Amino acid sequence: MSLSEHTTCSSLPADPVAADALIGIPRQQTNPSRWQGEQWAEFVRSLREQGIEIREARADTGIYVTDAGGLAYGMPHGVVLARSTEQIAALMKAAQMFAVPVTVRGGGLTTEGESVAFGGILLDMTGMSRVLHVDREALIVRTQAGIFWHLLAEVLRRDGLDYISAPLNLSSSVGGTLGVGGIDVNSSKYGCSADQAISLQVVTPTGEIVECSDDENSELFERIILGYGQFGIITEASLHIRPYTPLRMHYFYYAALKPCVEDLLMLDASQACDYTGILTMMDSAITLLVAFDSDEREAEFMAQVKPKLRGYGELMFALHLAVSFSWRPWKWKEALFLLRRKRELFPDLQPAQHMQDGRMLDRTVVFSRAVWKHWGDRHMVIPDLATSRDKFVQAVERGNAVCRKYFPYYTLYCVGIRLRDDHRAHYELSSIPADAEGWAYGCEFEPMYNGVEYSRDRLQSFKNEIYDVGVELETSYYRFGGMMKGYIRRALGDAVVEKHLQLKRQADPAMILNRDVIF
Amino acid sequence: MKSYSDCYGCSLCLLSCPVWLQRRDVRFSAQGYAKAMQHGADADAMAKVLPACIQCGACDVLCPEKIGLTAWIGEEVQKAQPAGVVRDGYVADCFDLSCAPAVRQGLRVDDLYIIDACVFHSNHAKRVGHYESLRQHTGCSMNLDLNRMAIPTGIGSLSVRLQCFDVRKQIEWLMQGRSVQRIIVENPADQALLAEMTGKPVLHVSELIEYELNRSSTKDA
């Protein structure tokens, strides 16, 4: 029986081992085959002759054995700590010559092993993490790309300044974020973090050092931004920044997902808020977060937009829940969980040392610490979906159904991402869905383990089922770039992937830079 | 009791680690120490990196696993040192002094108040609210970072005596972007070098109290 005949009488696709043939196969891309080390000795000798340190001791390489996802494990043959652009250029030239894979890592906050090296070189970019220049007048910062956003904020705050938008995670790096997008609770106003980049210094896969921006080497800039590290290594970045402002926060509570998501869409379209987002405790206790940079914006919202929201205040919502649970004793366990959750979580969302006169001083620290403490676990399992406005309610509801199937307790985090028409080309092979106009919307789905140990297989299977929803809805994914290689053809189509694969082959002849992430 | 084997590499300890901030090399951080041990580092390998730690204790507070690496590092560093190297001396706890009304009255907007990091971090949960309130009430600057960990000077630590930590570089970072007229310290060991490097008057907190009490009594008289 030929393969085509086999295909017609079974559920197997035309080519069962093609990149687009992984439906239903869990754990793809978590342990791709390890590079076998051909020409390693010559490669190392070449680098050492140029004065580049390579760490090969197990105690040094073991630091990078996994990523935040904690489901993929791999060891590099050696580690290079980034120290200068020239050093990285020399590394890439030698890597091309000897065909040695190079995996670049910033904060290591990937979830499918994208920043784990399965052999070859692990390039640790955190060695290049200093702020180079702050232009207080033009509100632009030039920084080395291995810097954590948290550290960038730390430096900028000394001058009363702040970054514009960054992931709510203390140890995300600037370079890694620009390569995947980056969302914040103000992304519905300012766009993703990658859209804050003005220009970049990049080391290409063949070792050239190139400055790029919308005006200079713009094609490279398009490929690097949201390019999953395929077309170069960002060594320095110039970013828009802004004056620092504390937040005025408000929370509204909902008992169902749909009205809450619809209100989020309405708020973003109205542009009445500076920060918006949804965070759930369960799908019967959903919080819509809104915040403002100024008293004026807050007052305007309270007068004109707040009456349109369908959410409750804290007291009214507590009463609503009490009534709802009182005649359903089989749901009392859930009620107790919500009560406990509220008691533990709410103080951490407004800790006294980060509040002043009712305003939140350090949103990233507060939210990030709450995330680390109250969500997730050793395995950062956060599959996500990104859609157009029109598909968002459906994506959230279907993702929520998957969560319910796998876990008794979980949380959803939703935000809007303002799109820039002039950056359409940046978004082509990215987390931004092709059909999104004006805004894209992202939802993360995260299990809460609550002391229960889940197997690696179960967690990976959960993630894949969320990704399958994305494929079925013909949409995308965002932030950590969860789906990657196993799904990208099904999500974005052969034409787009082939186009970028050709570009990749031209830019990276030995296909060594961050391989197996997408291509 | 959790140990280094419980570290899963979240990197949160790096964010307030003064040694990592100087070196930008994860091997010189609590995470790096723990990961190296998990992957079989022997005593010789650890002896190359552990002495850099100034044992300020910030990582103990930030670690979501509550591993408590500082005590372990202290023991290991001490074991690795040749006979005659003296352990870090006891630093008087000035928390009670910082609670004196005279401190609240005496601190000014253009003062920098330097909390003693080691003592503060070992009592962080109980004390962070007090210092933040003091900062907000008086408007003074403090050596608190965005995580509300105290940026240590490192002065007097064993690591400095072993020339593994650059105190001057640390003070440059501490002072970066700050415009202050006076510095108040809890640890008297900080006074001399801070005065030399900044050219500003540096008072111990007890001197601030004394100054403020004298000023009040003169005013009353």
Side-chain angles (χ1 to χ4, degrees):
Chain A
M1 187 167 64
S2 71
L3 186 61
S4 59
E5 286 169 329
H6 187 276
T7 306
T8 55
C9 62
S10 83
S11 59
L12 278 177
D15 179 356
V17 293
D20 61 347
L22 293 167
I23 291 176
I25 300 174
R27 280 175 46 186
Q28 67 263 31
Q29 187 52 30
T30 53
N31 266 325
S33 61
R34 192 173 193 271
W35 179 70
Q36 297 302 308
E38 299 87 357
Q39 303 189 85
W40 175 254
E42 295 88 334
F43 169 72
V44 169
R45 196 178 312 121
S46 163
L47 286 186
R48 288 196 173 134
E49 281 169 8
Q50 298 177 71
I52 296 173
E53 183 194 7
I54 300 180
R55 299 170 181 172
E56 296 178 271
R58 182 168 282 269
D60 293 332
T61 57
I63 293 172
Y64 310 94
V65 71
T66 189
D67 61 359
L71 300 181
Y73 292 87
M75 291 283 262
H77 282 72
V79 171
V80 170
L81 182 64
R83 285 303 188 195
S84 72
T85 305
E86 292 71 24
Q87 172 218 33
I88 295 172
L91 168 70
M92 293 312 296
K93 281 179 181 159
Q96 282 289 337
M97 184 183 297
F98 294 101
V100 174
V102 176
T103 304
V104 186
R105 182 175 174 120
L109 286 164
T110 55
T111 60
E112 299 279 357
E114 296 90 340
S115 59
V116 176
F118 302 93
I121 281 285
L122 186 298
L123 175 62
D124 179 354
M125 289 300 295
T126 59
M128 284 180 71
S129 53
R130 294 179 194 278
V131 173
L132 301 172
H133 179 67
V134 181
D135 185 334
R136 294 164 189 82
E137 299 300 315
L139 293 176
I140 294 171
V141 65
R142 180 76 169 183
T143 180
Q144 292 182 321
I147 194 168
F148 297 138
W149 288 97
H150 177 83
L151 185 52
L152 178 60
E154 195 84 58
V155 174
L156 292 174
R157 283 285 285 280
R158 296 282 179 95
D159 288 316
L161 300 168
D162 201 0
Y163 53 66
I164 289 182
S165 73
L168 293 180
N169 202 310
L170 297 163
S171 54
S172 302
S173 73
V174 165
T177 303
L178 299 184
V180 297
I183 50 105
D184 196 342
V185 280
N186 62 5
S187 291
S188 60
K189 181 176 179 182
Y190 295 112
C192 63
S193 308
D195 278 336
Q196 315 309 324
I198 300 164
S199 64
L200 306 172
Q201 183 190 64
V202 170
V203 175
T204 67
T206 47
E208 287 78 35
I209 300 169
V210 183
E211 186 74 17
C212 61
S213 66
D214 279 329
D215 303 318
E216 183 183 8
N217 298 308
S218 58
E219 282 187 22
L220 179 65
F221 192 56
E222 283 173 13
R223 296 286 68 78
I224 295 290
I225 292 285
L226 296 155
Y228 303 108
Q230 294 303 299
F231 297 95
I233 300 166
I234 305 171
T235 47
E236 293 179 13
S238 294
L239 306 169
H240 289 294
I241 52 176
R242 63 180 185 139
Y244 163 74
T245 52
L247 295 192
R248 294 127 179 100
M249 302 280 304
H250 295 272
Y251 299 104
F252 299 93
Y253 302 90
Y254 296 74
L257 277 169
K258 192 175 177 192
C260 186
V261 173
E262 288 171 347
D263 279 2
L264 174 73
L265 298 175
M266 180 273 289
L267 281 182
D268 290 346
S270 74
Q271 301 188 34
C273 306
D274 298 318
Y275 305 80
T276 54
I278 291 174
L279 203 54
T280 72
M281 287 197 280
M282 297 195 70
D283 59 5
S284 57
I286 303 140
T287 309
L288 175 64
L289 168 166
V290 300
F292 306 90
D293 282 324
S294 70
D295 293 335
E296 295 73 31
R297 292 273 291 165
E298 183 183 35
E300 198 180 336
F301 164 83
M302 296 305 270
Q304 293 175 13
V305 184
K306 181 175 171 271
K308 297 178 192 167
L309 295 179
R310 286 169 283 178
Y312 299 95
E314 191 177 334
L315 183 62
M316 285 303 292
F317 186 65
L319 284 171
H320 170 85
L321 276 188
V323 171
S324 162
F325 281 122
S326 63
W327 58 276
R328 293 190 293 176
W330 64 92
K331 300 270 275 183
W332 286 0
K333 193 176 169 192
E334 196 173 295
L336 286 173
F337 169 80
L338 286 174
L339 270 177
R340 180 168 61 81
R341 189 78 178 156
K342 176 183 179 298
R343 208 168 43 236
E344 291 169 355
L345 177 62
F346 279 37
D348 284 337
L349 287 176
Q350 40 198 346
Q353 67 268 28
H354 291 287
M355 303 295 290
Q356 185 168 10
D357 304 328
R359 292 180 292 178
M360 187 184 285
L361 300 177
D362 313 287
R363 72 176 192 279
T364 310
V365 175
V366 172
F367 288 128
S368 300
R369 296 192 82 169
V371 165
W372 277 103
K373 185 172 173 185
H374 297 287
W375 286 278
D377 200 83
R378 290 181 169 211
H379 301 302
M380 187 185 274
V381 172
I382 320 179
D384 47 56
L385 296 170
T387 77
S388 62
R389 286 172 59 90
D390 294 344
K391 291 177 181 171
F392 193 52
V393 172
Q394 193 186 1
V396 172
E397 290 187 328
R398 288 192 57 180
N400 181 62
V402 174
C403 291
R404 265 204 177 276
K405 187 170 130 186
Y406 280 83
F407 307 104
Y409 306 111
Y410 56 88
T411 190
L412 275 54
Y413 168 48
C414 308
V415 290
I417 307 159
R418 190 89 171 95
L419 302 182
R420 280 177 55 173
D421 285 339
D422 57 330
H423 279 185
R424 275 277 159 199
H426 295 187
Y427 305 146
E428 191 170 271
L429 187 76
S430 81
S431 52
I432 307 298
D435 61 349
E437 296 286 340
W439 284 266
Y441 277 85
C443 182
E444 293 181 353
F445 305 90
E446 185 169 11
M448 294 191 293
Y449 301 140
N450 230 14
V452 178
E453 292 271 343
Y454 292 98
S455 72
R456 174 174 147 158
D457 285 7
R458 184 175 179 81
L459 296 173
Q460 189 65 42
S461 193
F462 160 68
K463 289 199 287 185
N464 286 16
E465 197 158 333
I466 293 285
Y467 301 154
D468 286 342
V469 171
V471 171
E472 285 168 30
L473 290 177
E474 296 183 348
T475 184
S476 189
Y477 50 90
Y478 81 127
R479 191 165 174 174
F480 296 107
M483 309 182 192
M484 294 298 176
K485 188 174 177 180
Y487 282 86
I488 198 143
R489 283 179 181 272
R490 281 187 284 146
L492 301 181
D494 282 337
V496 172
V497 177
E498 281 301 323
K499 174 186 162 188
H500 288 264
L501 180 55
Q502 292 309 316
L503 293 170
K504 168 75 172 171
R505 285 185 175 131
Q506 287 166 22
D508 183 1
M511 297 292 277
I512 50 162
L513 181 59
N514 292 319
R515 69 188 208 178
D516 285 325
V517 171
I518 289 184
F519 302 117
Chain B
M1 180 74 178
K2 292 203 168 180
S3 75
Y4 63 81
S5 67
D6 291 291
C7 172
Y8 58 99
C10 68
S11 299
L12 295 190
C13 60
L14 270 61
L15 302 175
S16 293
C17 175
V19 182
W20 180 80
L21 282 166
Q22 275 196 7
R23 294 180 180 248
R24 312 292 163 122
D25 181 345
V26 69
R27 293 188 306 176
F28 294 89
S29 69
Q31 177 181 320
Y33 303 146
K35 285 288 175 192
M37 292 293 285
Q38 285 175 10
H39 289 86
D42 58 17
D44 285 347
M46 295 309 293
K48 290 176 189 159
V49 289
L50 280 176
C53 176
I54 63 168
Q55 298 169 52
C56 70
C59 54
D60 292 343
V61 183
L62 285 170
C63 177
E65 291 289 304
K66 303 287 171 216
I67 292 175
L69 278 158
T70 307
W72 171 75
I73 292 167
E75 297 290 321
E76 294 299 311
V77 169
Q78 197 61 32
K79 271 193 266 174
Q81 297 316 308
V85 174
V86 183
R87 194 183 174 83
D88 290 359
Y90 171 75
V91 176
D93 185 349
C94 291
F95 178 71
D96 287 344
L97 288 179
S98 77
C99 297
V103 172
R104 192 164 273 243
Q105 287 156 15
L107 280 174
R108 303 188 300 235
V109 174
D110 51 8
D111 283 341
L112 169 62
Y113 186 98
I114 298 186
I115 303 164
D116 183 69
C118 300
V119 180
F120 172 63
H121 293 145
S122 58
N123 298 279
H124 187 268
K126 290 179 189 160
R127 297 184 176 183
V128 65
H130 159 71
Y131 284 112
E132 186 61 22
S133 156
L134 189 59
R135 188 185 68 78
Q136 291 186 11
H137 178 81
T138 63
C140 74
S141 298
M142 278 193 185
N143 60 329
L144 291 172
D145 66 14
L146 296 186
N147 274 314
R148 300 299 183 271
M149 299 295 133
I151 299 169
T153 62
I155 294 168
S157 70
L158 179 59
S159 172
V160 174
R161 277 177 274 149
L162 294 169
Q163 298 186 317
C164 297
F165 184 78
D166 187 338
V167 164
R168 287 180 178 272
K169 207 188 260 186
Q170 180 68 3
I171 291 176
E172 281 169 16
W173 162 237
L174 181 57
M175 299 305 297
Q176 184 179 312
R178 298 185 200 268
S179 175
V180 300
Q181 293 304 314
R182 196 172 60 160
I183 299 171
I184 318 299
V185 298
E186 290 187 347
N187 186 343
D190 289 343
Q191 280 181 282
L193 189 57
L194 276 166
E196 180 203 317
M197 285 186 67
T198 64
K200 304 290 181 190
V202 182
L203 306 180
H204 185 254
V205 62
S206 61
E207 293 172 308
L208 174 71
I209 293 170
E210 197 181 323
Y211 173 82
E212 194 57 29
L213 292 175
N214 286 339
R215 199 172 66 91
S216 300
S217 57
T218 310
K219 202 168 143 189
D220 290 346

